[in-house]
Amino acid sequence: MIHPKAIWQVNSVIDKSTSRNPATRVALVTTSCDTYGLAVLNLAQDKTEIMSIFVDNDGAAIKFFIQKDIPEEIKSRIADIITRLGGRIEDKVPRAGYVLINPDTPEGNRLKSCWLTVDRPERFVVPYTFVEMCESKGVLLKQIFIHEDRPMGIHIHRSIANVIVRGNIAAVITHAGGNPYASEEEARVILADNQTPTFMQLVKEYESSPGKYIEHFEWIGKCVAAGRVSYTPSVYKNPGGRRPGEERTQFTASDEQHLCEYVALKIPFKESGGRTGNRLYQQLCEKVNEPGYGWVSRHTWQSWRERYKKNSTRLDIAIANIISQRPVVPGEKGQYGYVRLIEEKGRKTKKTPKHGTPIPPDLYGASGSTPSSVQASTSTSGELVHPASIITYSAPLQSTPISVGDTSRTATLSSLEESQGGSGWAIKVGDAPPPAWGKKRGLPQEDTLESDSKRKRVDPCIEHHASVKEIAAAFQFTPAEVGAYYFRVNQDVERTRRRFEKARKLLDGMSDVE
């Protein structure tokens, strides 16, 4: 440990010494402190090196020129610091060295414009406060913020709101050779606060500008400490997706072997088709939880399909080799496209009378007798009423209720059934005439037309009937008019002809109505 008295002696000797030669200072310190040994000598050497910062690499004093119109008090203080730190004052602007100016005066701006030239890169024009800044830092501040032999334009963004911080940053930039008063458009570097949203907005705004950099305000101190300008590097960030021609997960030989075995099992014969279909590979991925199919989860069904599709020529050979070792038969269990045959069961037709459907005449027997299971009921008047007489139903084109007790109606229905061959209720087929049960019976035969609201819907095929067309053309009526009446009279051609012949005569015999 160095004795405190030795440290005091070293400091006092260095402060009192007026010699500009660092070697002389070291000798003085060594002579006065030799009683404290080698540790004192090392301390003296370190101290003298700190106090000789205005010396170049060859040991020569750095030259300074001070602006003439700077106040004498300031000039005297600056000159004393320069001399004490190993520098030398010049009466003329040196070819290599520093020109100390007051940038707030016209003379300072004139000196800057005259002597800051490209052909003299070793000459720097700096504010006179540069000397005091170097003394406080203990080092010669390098002029690092130089771009293309000119002060680098640096813009201090408004996101740095602290006025004191902005002032300190501007001073450091100026003393390190930069121009802290450049506009945002002209600046090469924009200093901002990276804790604000504005910082990332600036980064995105100028990311396509190669000659402009966005940096945090602490970047200035890091550059000064390192003695060089180093911009924040750009690092690669995976943008997502995959490189051209590269799968997300690389297919292995094992993956292809499993794929070939699966296709060979499901579609052993390529000519049957389906190897490039979607469903085959969707079913493959559905087996992911089944024993022996854990490998399926390595890829999606689309990837499995694309793998086979793009390499079908090579994979088909591997599939054929697998099939040759285990011959298969078309339609074998498990093959794709084949399903289990489902036996069809005979359908039982259940005939349930719907509303408006006629009840067969043999419901209560051909003679109209009532089954024993049907019990009689008593009316409100005390008379015995047959149960079927209170049940009404209607056949097609039938609007009047029919009771079982109506023997004449029952006999008619029975005769209709017999005329149909006794094999059920016949239906109308195509343009054929309707069955007997479908014809109106018991209706008045007058030739008057019913009202439009009660007119039945005309079968569109009626208009194309040959008889209807012939009658319509003969008596100058439309097929629709003739067909409507033709349908109402149960397709009676002669009656229809007489009807429209009479109508035509009546129309022709009528006088014109004005």
Side-chain angles (χ1 to χ4, degrees), residues 156-169 193 217:
I156 304 175
H157 196 266
R158 59 180 178 274
S159 61
I160 305 174
N162 193 310
V163 179
I164 299 176
V165 174
R166 293 173 65 91
N168 293 337
I169 293 174
D193 188 355
F217 61 85

Side-chain angles (χ1 to χ4, degrees), residues 471-482:
I471 296 173
F475 302 109
Q476 302 178 5
F477 288 95
T478 63
E481 294 174 334
V482 177

Side-chain angles (χ1 to χ4, degrees), residues 74-123:
I74 298 176
K75 288 177 63 175
S76 176
R77 186 177 72 248
I78 294 174
D80 180 67
I81 296 174
I82 293 173
T83 304
R84 182 159 43 88
L85 297 180
R88 187 173 67 184
I89 306 297
E90 297 289 335
D91 295 332
K92 295 181 179 181
V93 176
R95 296 172 62 90
Y98 293 86
V99 178
L100 304 179
I101 65 171
N102 183 2
D104 297 332
T105 62
E107 178 63 16
N109 293 328
R110 187 189 69 81
L111 290 173
K112 184 175 181 180
S113 60
C114 291
W115 300 107
L116 186 61
T117 57
V118 178
D119 58 335
R120 293 296 178 185
E122 301 87 4
R123 183 166 54 204

Side-chain angles (χ1 to χ4, degrees), residues 276-295:
T276 57
N278 294 342
R279 188 55 187 160
L280 174 66
Y281 302 95
Q282 290 172 353
Q283 291 179 352
L284 171 62
C285 291
E286 291 172 0
K287 295 178 174 291
V288 65
N289 295 323
E290 296 183 10
Y293 283 91
W295 51 271

Side-chain angles (χ1 to χ4, degrees), residues 184-237:
E184 183 174 332
E185 292 75 16
E186 298 174 350
R188 180 174 177 81
V189 178
I190 299 177
L191 299 178
D193 188 355
N194 63 358
Q195 300 300 319
T196 62
T198 308
F199 187 84
M200 292 308 301
Q201 294 176 4
L202 290 171
V203 172
K204 293 180 179 179
E205 182 178 355
Y206 293 105
E207 63 182 355
S208 300
S209 302
K212 194 176 290 289
Y213 300 90
I214 311 300
E215 301 289 349
H216 182 42
F217 61 85
E218 294 180 352
W219 172 80
I220 293 293
K222 294 179 181 178
C223 291
V224 172
R228 61 187 181 87
V229 175
S230 177
Y231 302 107
T232 301
S234 299
V235 295
Y236 177 77
K237 182 179 180 181

Side-chain angles (χ1 to χ4, degrees), residues 413-462:
L413 294 176
S414 299
S415 63
L416 291 175
E417 183 184 8
E418 292 175 0
S419 65
Q420 299 296 332
S423 60
W425 295 81
I427 60 174
K428 180 177 181 298
V429 179
D431 294 337
W437 61 263
K439 298 181 180 180
K440 292 185 179 180
R441 297 182 180 278
L443 297 177
Q445 300 298 324
E446 64 273 7
D447 293 340
T448 59
L449 293 172
E450 296 181 1
S451 62
D452 293 340
S453 61
K454 297 182 179 180
R455 185 173 299 170
K456 303 296 182 181
R457 183 177 65 87
V458 180
D459 189 348
C461 297
I462 294 297

Side-chain angles (χ1 to χ4, degrees), residues 333-348:
K333 183 179 179 181
Q335 293 182 13
Y336 181 77
Y338 292 91
V339 297
R340 180 184 177 87
L341 178 62
I342 301 176
E343 298 180 359
E344 296 184 358
K345 297 181 180 180
R347 296 183 179 179
K348 295 182 179 180

Side-chain angles (χ1 to χ4, degrees), residues 137-163:
K137 298 293 183 180
V139 293
L140 175 63
L141 296 177
K142 295 182 179 180
Q143 302 298 291
I144 59 175
F145 296 124
I146 302 295
H147 178 65
E148 296 179 353
D149 299 327
R150 303 291 295 179
M152 181 186 296
I154 301 176
H155 176 75
I156 304 175
H157 196 266
R158 59 180 178 274
S159 61
I160 305 174
N162 193 310
V163 179

